[in-house]
Structure formats: C-alpha cells, structure tokens
Amino acid sequence: MAKLTQSQERELRDAFNLFDRDHSGKITKSELRRMLGALNVKATDNEVQKLLRRMDTDNSGEIDFNEFKNAMAKSFFKKYSRKELTDAFKKFDIDGNGFISSKELENIMSRMGKHLSQKELQATISSLDLNKDGKISFDEFCTLFD
C-alpha cells in the first residue's frame, strides 16, 4: 500500500468516525449497511456480509480504523473514470440540477447519521466551491478525486 499523506489519513479518519455511529472504534455490519443505504447503494444482507468480510482482515466481525484505512486507501490512488465520478455526483445531486447545494449535502449527511450545523455545512461547501457561487458543480466535486 502506498503511503497516505497526513491530509488523506485525516480524511479517512473523519469518514471512519462518520460511519462509526456508536463511537466504538469499529464499524459494525449494521453501521456498514446504514452507510451504504445513505449512499443509495442497495445491497442484500449477503452482499453487506461479503463486503464486511473483505474489509475485516482480522475476522473480528467488525472493521477497525486500520482495516478501513487499508481498504479505502486504494481509492486515494485510483484514477476514477468520468462515469464513476458522474455516478457518485448524481447520488449527491438529488434534484438533478447539476449542482450540490448545502441542502442536498445536509440531506446526504443526515442519511448517514451525521447532522451538521449550518456553519459546518457552509464550511464544507466553501472548501469545495472554487467559484464562490454557493454550490458545488461537477468540476468542483471532481477536485476531491484529483
């Protein structure tokens, strides 16, 4: 596995903490299912179990941060196709207008069990909103994956 930058490791830790709803330091099968559901990924119980087994290298039945990091780090070094990025963007762009608004971001985060304050939502939008129009375009979204 290639070495992650501090920023990448911090992003993965933030994502892990978002999915670890009970703050146990582990992602359970139900937390993994909730995460997939929040992203509109329809998975059967068997598919969730297979994903959990693939990530759970110590066979504990849960995913700790190192297992999560090892599984997810590959995505930091992968170049995504335009179709993959478009599909991901569409999951956030609920109204299909070509932009992710703070309301859409709030909705997806809420479905993941993370309730952000208006200040946190605005800070997230601002960090990606390169042209400062108050919303995230597809091109701005893609900068997350460069």
Side-chain angles (χ1 to χ4, degrees):
M1 177 179 80
K3 179 124 174 74
L4 296 173
T5 66
Q6 285 183 332
S7 175
Q8 289 169 329
E9 180 124 5
R10 212 172 19 257
E11 286 179 54
L12 284 177
R13 175 57 77 179
D14 289 345
F16 181 85
N17 290 340
L18 179 67
F19 304 140
D20 179 20
R21 290 184 39 121
D22 65 359
H23 309 292
S24 66
K26 308 263 184 174
I27 297 174
T28 64
K29 182 179 176 182
S30 66
E31 288 168 329
L32 182 59
R33 175 181 293 292
R34 186 175 290 117
M35 172 186 72
L36 294 171
L39 296 171
N40 285 331
V41 174
K42 299 199 183 332
T44 65
D45 193 55
N46 191 34
E47 290 167 330
V48 173
Q49 187 64 41
K50 282 181 184 176
L51 178 59
L52 180 69
R53 274 197 305 266
R54 196 166 50 231
M55 294 175 77
D56 178 23
T57 56
D58 68 1
N59 298 314
S60 67
E62 300 175 314
I63 303 162
D64 65 29
F65 178 67
N66 283 327
E67 291 168 328
F68 180 80
K69 181 173 70 171
N70 289 335
M72 300 305 291
K74 295 173 192 144
S75 68
F76 273 105
F77 302 104
K78 178 185 179 202
K79 288 294 180 188
Y80 292 92
S81 71
R82 185 126 180 115
K83 180 175 180 351
E84 288 172 313
L85 290 173
T86 301
D87 290 346
F89 183 80
K90 285 178 182 176
K91 291 190 185 318
F92 286 86
D93 181 20
I94 297 164
D95 65 8
N97 71 349
F99 298 97
I100 299 170
S101 67
S102 63
K103 190 72 179 159
E104 288 168 323
L105 181 61
E106 179 181 32
N107 182 315
I108 196 93
M109 298 306 284
S110 176
R111 289 179 18 212
M112 294 171 77
K114 181 76 171 176
H115 300 284
L116 301 178
S117 68
Q118 285 303 311
K119 185 177 179 180
E120 291 169 317
L121 282 167
Q122 285 313 119
T124 303
I125 294 283
S126 292
S127 71
L128 296 171
D129 182 17
L130 302 176
N131 67 359
K132 305 299 179 208
D133 64 356
K135 54 194 173 189
I136 302 168
S137 69
F138 177 71
D139 289 336
E140 290 166 334
F141 176 79
C142 288
T143 64
L144 283 170
F145 303 94
D146 286 341

